[in-house]
Amino acid sequence: MRLHVGCAMWTHARWQGRLLPGHLPQGERLRAYATWCDAVEGNTTFYATPSRATVETWAAQTPPDFRFVVKLPKPVTHEHRLAGGEAELGAFLDAIEPLGPRVHALWVQLPGSFAPSDVGVLAAFLRRLPRGHSYAVEVRHRAFFEDERSERLLERVLAPVAAEWVPFDTTVMFASPPTSDAERDAWTKKPRVPRRSRALTGRPIVRYLGRDDERRTVEGWRPWVETAAEWLREGRSPTVFIHTPDNADAPLLARRFHDEVRARVPGLAPLPDPMPDDEPLTLF
């Protein structure tokens, strides 16, 4: 019974010297992060495919049961809109191969303009993908959330390849006006879609965006605590990513979310103790 939790990144200026050791070079920060959280979003691969050598260092810094949810490159999902980009996709798949079982899912994040009328393109794309990976799809067009026929259409396309539908819950962010610069930035950039909590597979993935106010973040995730607990009781193994607009305390919040779920599901194993910020790094 495993609940994995994580953040949108493994390094952040606000974490250094406070949550993670301040002296760490860039190439060692993932190892330290992995003592706090056991999953991470691979957002950087959307903008540029890393070298295989770089990915080998990611594998070396994380235990085999660590989870990467790795985003497909922008040329594939946004420029070619799944109807091309074979060279970019091939280079991406080759680059991430050293992660092995750490690749929990390949994440197909689609633009807000990708509508129900485009679902046939998604179906054809998913059929072309190698079966050695699990896949997770994030859509942002409101029709998928507000029109039952569109919702069911997408689910029917995901089912044959056992792909998960990734909800990005921003409802707390948009429940009231922003109060900080980071919140104002999120207000203009994040998608505004209804909350969705239906899992399609045994490996559901959730992205939750709170506020810079910890109290409001915790209040807003209460439905997800109950949902994650129910998924665990059903035998599923969820992964939940905790975001805030400034992400200053995201690792602390991710661990708190795990603790709240564990209070409802006593059989859930605790996360390991995080590395103190002055402790030297050791291999797993």
Side-chain angles (χ1 to χ4, degrees):
M1 187 182 294
R2 294 293 301 273
L3 163 65
H4 286 245
V5 294
C7 307
M9 70 286 287
W10 64 72
T11 182
H12 191 293
R14 298 279 294 276
W15 302 350
Q16 302 310 120
R18 187 170 69 91
L19 303 180
L20 306 183
H23 63 277
L24 286 179
Q26 183 76 20
E28 291 291 332
R29 293 175 185 175
L30 175 55
R31 193 189 308 277
Y33 168 88
T35 70
W36 281 81
C37 297
D38 53 6
V40 73
E41 292 182 359
N43 283 291
T44 59
T45 55
F46 178 73
Y47 300 101
T49 295
S51 70
R52 191 179 174 98
T54 294
V55 177
E56 287 171 352
T57 70
W58 299 352
Q61 293 179 68
T62 51
D65 61 350
F66 188 89
R67 291 181 177 177
F68 287 85
V69 177
V70 191
K71 193 184 294 187
L72 264 61
K74 182 178 181 180
V76 176
T77 57
H78 286 57
E79 295 172 10
H80 293 284
R81 294 175 65 89
L82 308 184
E86 284 79 6
E88 292 91 342
L89 179 61
F92 166 79
L93 293 172
D94 179 71
I96 66 167
E97 191 274 335
L99 291 177
R102 297 167 181 82
V103 178
H104 182 64
L106 297 184
W107 171 16
V108 185
Q109 184 187 79
L110 296 169
S113 59
F114 198 93
S117 59
D118 299 309
V119 165
V121 178
L122 173 62
F125 177 77
L126 292 174
R127 287 195 298 267
R128 295 198 306 270
L129 292 173
R131 297 276 72 85
H133 292 288
S134 295
Y135 297 94
V137 175
E138 179 185 338
V139 291
R140 296 186 168 191
H141 195 288
R142 290 187 67 91
F144 290 114
F145 301 86
E146 297 175 337
D147 175 61
E148 185 175 351
R149 290 181 62 186
S150 298
E151 177 186 19
R152 296 292 175 252
L153 175 63
L154 180 56
E155 289 183 352
R156 287 197 298 271
V157 164
L158 299 178
V161 294
E164 189 54 82
W165 180 336
V166 182
F168 188 16
D169 181 5
T170 62
T171 56
V172 174
M173 180 70 250
F174 293 111
S176 61
T179 59
S180 69
D181 288 343
E183 288 189 352
R184 280 184 281 274
D185 185 60
W187 188 269
T188 63
K189 294 179 179 178
K190 302 304 181 183
R192 302 189 186 205
V193 294
R195 179 186 291 121
R196 173 189 163 84
S197 58
R198 173 180 164 87
L200 302 182
T201 72
R203 296 150 63 94
I205 299 167
V206 174
R207 307 178 70 220
Y208 168 76
L209 174 63
R211 303 293 293 254
D212 287 336
D213 180 336
E214 179 179 333
R215 177 187 58 82
R216 296 180 69 187
T217 296
V218 171
E219 287 178 353
W221 76 31
R222 285 175 182 164
W224 288 115
V225 169
E226 300 301 333
T227 297
E230 185 60 29
W231 283 340
L232 289 163
R233 297 185 192 107
E234 293 170 354
R236 305 180 197 263
S237 182
T239 305
V240 178
F241 295 109
I242 303 299
H243 299 230
T244 64
D246 65 12
N247 282 312
D249 294 319
L252 289 166
L253 290 165
R255 292 180 67 89
R256 178 170 175 177
F257 181 90
H258 192 283
D259 288 343
E260 290 195 12
V261 175
R262 187 165 175 256
R264 291 159 174 78
V265 187
L268 180 63
L271 292 169
D273 292 335
M275 179 196 305
D277 61 18
D278 58 351
E279 181 176 317
L281 287 169
T282 59
L283 293 175
F284 290 96

